[in-house]
Amino acid sequence: MAAKGEKIMTRSLLIVGLPRSMSSLIYCLCRDMTKKCLKTLDKNIFHEGDIFNHIQHFYPKILKKFGNPKLNQYQKHKKLLDKHKGGFLIKTVCQPRYLKKYFDENSDAYNVLIIRRDPADVVYSLYLKEWYWVINILGLNSELERNQNIKKLCRAVIKIQEEYNEKIEGKFLISYDNLLEDETLLYRKLIEMGYDPNFISHLDASFKRKRDAVFLTRKTPLYQMIKNELALLKTT
């Protein structure tokens, strides 16, 4: 709890990470833990706080409200980031290229929390859900043969992770694996950033079942194949 008279952090918080990195859960936890100092986006327009989701998918409601054919992709992203600089909680995945340019120009505009998850976990989850849209990050088309999509997903995930490492380094980091075991990690990270959060635990029975399922997938032949493919890509 903040001491009486102590100023509470109200700088906007941006959560970023690879898809399937628990960003939605972390967003919901942060939303409930920082209600007294951070506002959330209109849930009828922005899905689970994802500020850039509408630019990618062109939701009709968003185009009507924010669409401007004279703006290029970066300008659309910049417009939204500028609009929500003060006291908002937002998140995004797969957009490091736009964030890099923005934070070069506005280094102190946001607190940025980066979620780190093993790329093999991410590829495995994307593949099972058939979320092949991530492949489009590299301008590649998804193949009819699913085994070809594993290789392309590996390339896409490595590319996104490299861009996050290179372009928005020096921000606050949080480990996916540590979150699986430590119920106070996010709470302590919010305090480190200067917020005055309420403590909420995510380690309920439902979460633990999902966590145990993640541990089991890491022993499967498919997961090991993905690990091997990623290792080959990193050495080439």
Side-chain angles (χ1 to χ4, degrees):
M1 297 290 291
K4 186 175 180 180
E6 183 179 343
K7 188 175 181 180
I8 298 175
M9 168 66 72
T10 56
R11 180 184 297 160
S12 287
L13 172 58
L14 172 62
I15 301 166
V16 298
L18 293 165
R20 309 302 300 163
S21 291
M22 210 159 41
S23 63
S24 292
L25 173 62
I26 291 174
Y27 169 80
C28 291
L29 286 169
C30 287
R31 176 196 65 201
D32 294 340
M33 294 167 78
T34 62
K35 281 182 177 179
K36 57 190 170 188
C37 52
L38 294 178
K39 297 169 283 187
T40 55
L41 304 180
D42 185 343
K43 64 181 180 181
N44 294 317
I45 298 178
F46 300 92
H47 177 64
E48 293 181 337
D50 196 327
I51 194 168
F52 297 148
N53 193 275
H54 68 280
I55 295 177
Q56 178 181 344
H57 297 292
F58 295 101
Y59 292 158
K61 286 183 181 179
I62 298 295
L63 279 181
K64 184 175 180 180
K65 188 167 185 179
F66 294 103
N68 185 338
K70 295 181 180 179
L71 297 179
N72 61 34
Q73 285 296 304
Y74 171 67
Q75 290 170 330
K76 291 177 183 178
H77 288 75
K78 182 178 185 301
K79 179 180 178 181
L80 280 170
L81 286 168
D82 283 343
K83 180 180 177 64
H84 297 96
K85 278 195 292 191
F88 280 91
L89 171 66
I90 60 179
K91 74 161 190 171
T92 191
V93 296
C94 293
Q95 301 293 348
R97 66 196 68 179
Y98 302 117
L99 296 178
K100 161 64 176 172
K101 184 174 182 181
Y102 185 82
F103 288 120
D104 280 349
E105 300 169 356
N106 305 270
S107 60
D108 295 324
Y110 283 80
N111 281 329
V112 181
L113 180 63
I114 302 176
I115 309 164
R116 287 279 168 80
R117 185 178 186 185
D118 189 313
D121 283 357
V122 175
V123 173
Y124 184 95
S125 182
L126 291 172
Y127 179 71
L128 290 187
K129 286 187 167 291
E130 298 188 1
W131 283 16
Y132 299 143
W133 58 266
V134 178
I135 293 173
N136 295 331
I137 295 287
L138 297 181
L140 302 172
N141 294 320
S142 58
E143 302 286 349
L144 294 176
E145 296 292 332
R146 293 186 73 201
N147 64 325
Q148 294 298 314
N149 285 327
I150 287 182
K151 295 182 178 181
K152 290 185 177 182
L153 281 170
C154 287
R155 290 173 60 191
V157 166
I158 286 177
K159 178 66 173 177
I160 298 166
Q161 188 176 60
E162 285 176 347
E163 290 192 349
Y164 275 135
N165 290 344
E166 173 189 353
K167 297 183 176 183
I168 46 178
E169 62 181 349
K171 304 299 181 181
F172 295 95
L173 301 176
I174 197 162
S175 163
Y176 174 93
D177 274 19
N178 289 343
L179 276 166
L180 294 181
E181 303 286 356
D182 187 347
E183 66 180 354
T184 68
L185 180 60
L186 182 58
Y187 174 73
R188 289 185 280 110
K189 189 64 66 172
L190 289 169
I191 292 175
E192 182 184 346
M193 287 186 277
Y195 299 107
D196 184 24
N198 297 312
F199 173 71
I200 297 174
S201 175
H202 59 286
L203 294 184
D204 58 17
S206 174
F207 181 88
K208 289 178 180 178
R209 284 193 297 271
K210 294 175 182 177
R211 177 194 64 190
D212 294 343
V214 169
F215 293 151
L216 287 175
T217 63
R218 294 175 180 176
K219 299 177 181 179
T220 63
L222 175 59
Y223 188 89
Q224 293 306 313
M225 183 178 76
I226 290 170
K227 288 284 284 188
N228 293 339
E229 183 65 30
L230 288 165
L232 284 173
L233 287 172
K234 289 178 181 178
T235 59
T236 57

